[in-house]
């Protein structure tokens, strides 16, 4: 019994430690520049309702634009990933055709290809096609993820074939079966995929860093970097910007946590 | 070949169905070929070519490999990367196991969910944001960490600005970000272990330690291996955290392989050298993954 309380206590301490950087970020974002340089340090801000840093963030950088860019790119990538992945998942799960398994394992094998190994040719292609610094360029490698195909195939595979056969006998076209019979039955998997993919793309950094040049095309992760430099960082502004960049994801994450966890457990495969 | 002709020009009902199946996967196959397979092949080809200013490229055999693989900056980056992952991977996996087992023991489901959510929270932040928050905590003058240390009379440390402490400091950020992810995988696995096993162990009079050592850990083995591999891959590709904070400094003490690849390709535009590194990263991670497969043949299922 005592051991159980001890476990609970240690877990709580650990959880609070893990949570602390978030708390510290939020608190710092409410402080003024002189406040964060105060020695000795005071934890609480002088004014809890000081939102000056947030105003300054939007004033100094087109942060609204960054949020819009990230939101747009993450949404498009989530939706396109959902469409292509569920089509492919259905094809792999319920049809027989030559070399089906070879195709499937080739796609799963892509999980072993680190993105950084293909980034140079990808960059050269995007450059050649004139997509540098465009939404299409940023989206190019994010439109479909292997994880999505895998997730949808797993979800569709366990559906009974009887529904499909019944629909075929009724003269339903193959695409209509997919759209009207299959999709409504795998809504949970679709939700999981949408959320996870949105989060991934929102937090993406490496590829946007490569393709984005102009300030108007920056995404939030890149935008955060504009509050840093080697010599002097205004952490009150930086933390405010960080809060803004994390908040949308945090809201999505906390309200839909169940689906995210499902996806994480499934994504064991994702590298 | 005959199969494909029949898929392209279906005669029977079954042929039409085969064609339908193929059409369903076609968009995905096309996309992945264009975005991954073709560039991967081009990376390999590119690593044997030197691009002359003006755009023409010239076959140089393994000259670029010789150049990169004998370059001390490259091996410094490799060493740093390995040092980083040797610190962060075991820490993350062990902590995640401990937390998952602890969470699993909690009787109250509500509290279990609350604490689990808190451990999982850093997973939702981008690596850039995570690293920048930590950089503020690590700040030598105004940072919270040194303030905390001063309370127990330890002199301020330089953390990210110190040659000795920069790598442990960055490793800690990786642990913080990944802990919740691994915990979730372990927790899901723990929850799928049938309760009867533990009842049987109780009847046999197993102690708490024996239950852990001879029941829980062996049953979690596939997940432990999988998480180790995932962490290895994740930490080998470390980039965002380093780029956002130290940029590889001080004095290349936190230069990593992907940092070097990025600089080589997009700062110095030496695409050939970068391709060599790309191939190196691919081959290394492929070897790690295949080793895992050799040791654990059967696929991991949930």
């Amino acid at each position: 019994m005592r051991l159980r309380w001890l476990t609970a206590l240690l877990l709580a301490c650990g959880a609070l430690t893990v949570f602390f950087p978030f708390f510290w970020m939020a608190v710092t974002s409410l402080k003024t520049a002189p406040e964060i340089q105060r020695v000795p340090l005071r934890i609480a801000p002088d004014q809890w309702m000081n939102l000056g840093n947030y105003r300054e963030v939007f004033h100094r950088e087109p942060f609204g634009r960054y949020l819009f860019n990230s939101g747009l790119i993450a949404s498009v990538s989530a939706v396109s990933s959902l469409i292509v992945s569920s089509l492919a998942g259905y094809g792999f799960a319920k049809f027989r055709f030559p070399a089906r398994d070879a195709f499937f394992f080739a796609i799963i094998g892509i999980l072993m290809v680190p993105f950084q190994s293909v980034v140079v040719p990808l960059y050269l292609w995007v450059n050649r096609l004139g997509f540098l610094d465009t939404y299409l360029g940023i989206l190019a490698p994010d439109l479909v993820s292997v994880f999505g195909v895998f997730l949808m195939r797993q979800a569709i595979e366990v559906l009974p074939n009887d529904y499909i056969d019944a629909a075929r006998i009724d003269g339903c076209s193959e695409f209509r079966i997919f759209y009207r019979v299959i999709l409504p039955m795998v809504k949970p998997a679709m939700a999981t995929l949408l959320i996870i993919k949105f989060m991934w793309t929102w937090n993406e950094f490496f590829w946007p860093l490569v393709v984005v040049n102009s300030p108007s095309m920056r995404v939030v992760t890149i935008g955060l970097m504009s509050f840093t430099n080697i010599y002097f960082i205004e952490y009150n502004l930086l933390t405010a910007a960080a809060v803004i960049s994390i908040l949308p994801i945090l809201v999505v994450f906390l309200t839909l946590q169940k689906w995210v966890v499902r996806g994480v457990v499934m994504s064991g495969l994702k590298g | 070949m005959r199969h494909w002709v029949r898929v392209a020009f279906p005669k029977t009902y079954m042929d039409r169905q085969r064609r339908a199946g193929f059409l369903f996967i076609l968009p995905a196959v096309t996309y992945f070929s264009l975005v991954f397979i073709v560039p991967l092949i081009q990376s390999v080809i590119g690593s044997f070519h030197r691009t002359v200013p003006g755009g023409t490229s010239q076959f140089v055999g393994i000259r670029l490999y010789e150049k990169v693989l004998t370059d001390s900056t490259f091996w410094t980056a490799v060493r740093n990367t390995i040092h980083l992952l040797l610190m962060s991977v075991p820490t993350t996996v062990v902590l995640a196991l401990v937390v998952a087992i602890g969470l699993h023991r909690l009787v109250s489901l509500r509290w279990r969910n609350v604490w689990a959510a808190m451990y999982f929270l850093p997973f939702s932040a981008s690596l850039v944001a995570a690293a920048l928050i930590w950089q503020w905590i690590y700040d030598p003058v105004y940072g919270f960490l040194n303030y905390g240390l001063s309370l127990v009379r330890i002199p301020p440390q330089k953390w990210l600005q110190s040659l000795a402490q920069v790598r442990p400091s960055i490793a800690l950020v990786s642990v913080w970000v990944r802990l919740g992810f691994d915990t979730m995988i372990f927790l899901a696995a723990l929850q799928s272990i049938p309760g009867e096993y533990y009842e049987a162990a109780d009847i046999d009079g197993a102690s708490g330690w024996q239950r852990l050592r001879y029941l829980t850990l062996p049953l979690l083995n596939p997940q432990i291996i999988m998480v180790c591999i995932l962490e290895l891959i994740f930490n080998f590709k470390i980039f965002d955290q380093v780029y956002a904070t130290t940029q590889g400094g001080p004095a290349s003490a936190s230069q990593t392989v992907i940092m070097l690849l990025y600089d080589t390709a997009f700062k110095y535009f030496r695409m050939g050298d970068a391709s060599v590194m790309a191939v190196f990263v691919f081959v290394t991670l492929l070897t790690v993954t295949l080793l895992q497969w050799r040791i654990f043949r059967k696929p991991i299922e949930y």
Side-chain angles (χ1 to χ4, degrees), chain A residues 104-105 107-113 145-154 200 262-271, chain B residues 178 181 185 222-223 226-227 229-231 233-234 237 289 292-293 298-302:
Chain A
F104 184 68
F105 285 113
I107 287 182
I108 292 297
I110 290 173
L111 284 171
M112 281 187 276
V113 182
S145 70
V146 176
F147 160 70
V149 175
F150 181 73
L151 181 80
M152 294 313 290
R153 176 183 176 260
Q154 299 295 86
W200 276 346
R262 258 182 59 122
V264 164
V265 172
M266 283 293 297
S267 80
L269 262 163
K270 208 256 174 184
Chain B
R178 298 292 289 186
F181 176 86
I185 292 183
Q223 278 77 26
M226 183 187 76
V227 164
I229 297 291
L230 286 179
E231 286 308 318
I233 293 175
F234 177 85
K237 296 194 294 189
T289 316
Q292 171 214 16
W293 274 9
K298 64 175 185 204
I300 292 152
E301 290 168 15
Y302 284 101

Side-chain angles (χ1 to χ4, degrees), chain A residues 85-100:
Chain A
S85 301
S86 46
L87 283 171
Y90 180 44
F92 280 125
K94 294 294 181 196
F95 287 88
R96 297 168 152 282
F97 48 88
R100 180 190 73 173

Side-chain angles (χ1 to χ4, degrees), chain A residues 127-139:
Chain A
N127 187 17
R128 202 171 307 161
L129 296 171
F131 292 157
L132 276 189
D133 221 19
T134 64
Y135 287 126
L136 208 58
I138 305 174
L139 274 166

Side-chain angles (χ1 to χ4, degrees), chain A residues 11 15 18 28 117 125 140 143 270, chain B residues 31 42-43 119 136 176 230 278:
Chain A
L11 275 177
V18 169
T28 308
S117 290
W125 271 112
L143 284 172
K270 208 256 174 184
Chain B
Y31 179 79
Q42 286 182 318
S43 272
Y119 282 104
W136 169 227
W176 182 69
L230 286 179

Side-chain angles (χ1 to χ4, degrees), chain B residues 11-26:
Chain B
K11 287 202 195 84
T12 64
Y13 179 74
M14 285 313 284
D15 282 348
R16 261 201 298 284
Q17 244 189 59
R18 289 198 184 94
R19 185 180 63 174
F22 186 72
L23 289 178
F24 275 119
I25 67 157
L26 194 59

Side-chain angles (χ1 to χ4, degrees), chain A residues 193-204:
Chain A
L193 175 56
L194 269 182
I195 297 157
I196 293 266
K197 184 67 180 153
F198 185 91
M199 277 179 59
W200 276 346
T201 314
W202 181 280
N203 288 336
E204 191 99 42

